[in-house]
Amino acid sequence: MAENRTGPRSTVREYRTEELAEAAGIPVRTLRFYRERKLLPPPRREGRIAWYDDHHLARLRTIAALLERGHTLGGIAELTAAFEKGRDVGQLGELLGIGWSEETPVRLSPEALADYFEGEVTPENLAASLDLGYLATDGEEIVHVSRRLLDVSSALVREGVPLSAVLETGRRVREHADAMAALFSELISAHLGEEALRRLRPLAKSVVEAELSMAMDRLHKPSAQEPSS
C-alpha cells in the first residue's frame, strides 16, 4: 500500500491489486472480472504495476451493496455508466431500484454529505448506509436515494441522535414498511388486479400516515394527572 501525495494538503491512499481486493473483501479474480466488465475505472499505471485508490474501493463497496439488494451486474454497469455520464438524478433513482417512487434522489459531494451529518460520516456509518441502499457512490460522487430521508436523518443528528442509531432504526422501520407494503399490495391485487397498484398507491400512504399518527397518540397519551394545555 502506498500514499500518493497530490498536493500540500491532499494525500490519496493507493493499493496494489491484491491489497485492494483484501480491503474490499473479495477475491483478486473477482476484482479482475469487475475491471474486465468495466465496472471499475482503469487503475493508474506505473510500469507493470497497477495502482488503485480509495475511489476504486468505494466503487467496490457500492457494487457489493447493490448486489446484496438484488441488482444484476448488468444493471450495476448501467448505473455506473449513468454516474460517469452525469445522468439526471431522477433517472439514477430508477436505476437504484426506486422505480416510480415519489422519492427524489439527491446528488452530494463528500463534503456536503459531511456537512449534513456533522462529523458522523464514519466508515462504519457509510457502510451501513450503503448496505441499506440509502447511498450509492462513484468516486467522489454520492447519491442519496431520498431527499426526505436525508433531511429527516440529518435533522435527528442535529438534535443529538447518533447517526448509527438513526440507521439502525431505519433498518427496523424498513422491515415494518415492507410488511405494510405487502399487505396493501395483496389487498389490491386480490380484488382489483396488480394494474391498480400504482393508481391506488396514495391510499396506502394515507392509511400508513393516519395509523402512525394515531399510534404515536396512543403511545404518548397524557396521563389523567397531567394538566391539559
Side-chain angles (χ1 to χ4, degrees):
M1 190 178 300
E3 289 185 350
N4 176 33
R5 297 188 180 276
T6 57
R9 290 187 162 185
S10 168
T11 301
V12 177
R13 179 175 296 176
E14 292 195 315
Y15 309 81
R16 293 173 184 262
T17 301
E18 294 78 8
E19 293 169 339
L20 180 66
E22 182 180 0
I26 61 174
V28 170
R29 65 180 180 274
T30 300
L31 171 58
R32 289 176 175 150
F33 175 71
Y34 289 165
R35 191 173 67 192
E36 291 168 3
R37 291 287 300 268
K38 301 188 184 304
L39 293 171
L40 286 177
R44 182 178 72 84
R45 290 284 179 179
E46 189 175 278
R48 299 182 62 181
I49 301 176
W51 288 104
Y52 299 87
D53 59 27
D54 284 333
H55 295 167
H56 294 94
L57 182 57
R59 174 74 69 85
L60 289 172
R61 286 173 174 165
T62 298
I63 292 170
L66 291 172
L67 287 172
E68 182 69 23
R69 294 181 66 205
H71 290 265
T72 64
L73 286 178
I76 295 171
E78 186 179 358
L79 174 61
T80 298
F83 272 111
E84 293 173 346
K85 293 176 182 176
R87 191 175 297 183
D88 177 79
V89 291
Q91 294 171 286
L92 288 173
E94 293 194 14
L95 293 172
L96 286 167
I98 58 178
W100 33 266
S101 171
E102 297 174 7
E103 300 310 308
T104 302
V106 184
R107 189 188 292 275
L108 298 162
S109 68
E111 294 77 15
L113 184 67
D115 288 342
Y116 263 96
F117 295 105
E118 301 180 347
E120 292 275 321
V121 182
T122 63
E124 293 78 13
N125 286 337
L126 279 174
S129 298
L130 287 166
D131 183 55
L132 278 166
Y134 287 166
L135 295 181
T137 66
D138 184 70
E140 294 186 359
E141 292 195 301
I142 298 170
V143 169
H144 194 293
V145 297
S146 169
R147 163 64 71 182
R148 289 194 292 184
L149 286 177
L150 175 64
D151 289 344
V152 169
S153 299
S154 62
L156 288 170
V157 169
R158 287 195 301 272
E159 290 289 336
V161 181
L163 181 55
S164 59
V166 172
L167 292 171
E168 177 56 30
T169 300
R171 187 185 302 276
R172 295 169 61 190
V173 166
R174 176 170 294 178
E175 294 174 0
H176 294 290
D178 285 346
M180 289 186 290
L183 281 172
F184 189 81
S185 296
E186 290 167 7
L187 173 69
I188 298 303
S189 297
H191 295 279
L192 301 173
E194 290 188 7
E195 64 278 2
L197 281 172
R198 183 167 185 172
R199 177 171 57 85
L200 297 179
R201 181 173 174 164
L203 299 182
K205 178 181 174 181
S206 295
V207 169
V208 171
E209 289 180 347
E211 286 289 355
L212 179 59
S213 177
M214 291 188 292
M216 293 291 284
D217 289 342
R218 290 192 296 271
L219 186 62
H220 300 286
K221 184 177 181 180
S223 64
Q225 290 76 23
E226 292 183 15
S228 58
S229 57

